Amino acid sequence: NGVDGTHAGDVGVEVVSVAPDGSRQTVFTGSSGADGRFLAEIEIEDGAQEYEMVVASGPYFAARNLPAPGMQIMRVIIVRFTMPDPAARYHIPIIMSPNSYSCWWSS
């Protein structure tokens, strides 16, 4: 939570595989824990496969007492990524605010 620095618990997340033809299939749905983390084990066969992590930031911030309610224009954060090494672990942190976010990855 980039507004007050707390962990963003109970934020909805969906991980979707995106096929080369653009079709999508949900591989994980859940929500962050009290520590603000999502953890999903995803078995991948082809490291070229793309995925999208869809984070429901809108409902999270709508439930907070923000200084300018109703001014949030970003309701969903979508991060598209690949996992080139099927044996690796990927960590994709997001710091989110009502109208911005920052993300990066580490292994």
Side-chain angles (χ1 to χ4, degrees):
N1 181 339
V3 173
D4 61 17
T6 60
H7 297 295
D10 200 31
V11 176
V13 66
E14 177 182 30
V15 175
V16 177
S17 65
V18 181
D21 67 1
S23 62
R24 291 168 158 68
Q25 180 178 355
T26 299
V27 295
F28 171 80
T29 301
S31 60
S32 62
D35 63 353
R37 294 177 183 260
F38 311 108
L39 178 60
E41 297 279 335
I42 300 171
E43 289 190 34
I44 59 174
E45 296 176 15
D46 177 5
Q49 178 74 39
E50 289 191 327
Y51 296 88
E52 289 181 349
M53 180 170 57
V54 182
V55 180
S57 58
Y60 175 80
F61 285 112
R64 304 294 179 280
N65 185 19
L66 298 175
M71 293 301 292
Q72 180 178 1
I73 62 169
M74 294 179 65
R75 306 233 178 255
V76 176
I77 297 167
I78 300 173
V79 178
R80 186 174 280 200
F81 61 97
T82 62
M83 295 183 281
D85 181 354
R89 295 182 67 122
Y90 294 87
H91 180 226
I92 305 173
I94 296 175
I95 296 176
M96 62 183 194
S97 297
N99 293 306
S100 67
Y101 69 94
S102 177
C103 79
W104 61 98
W105 77 273
S106 64
S107 53

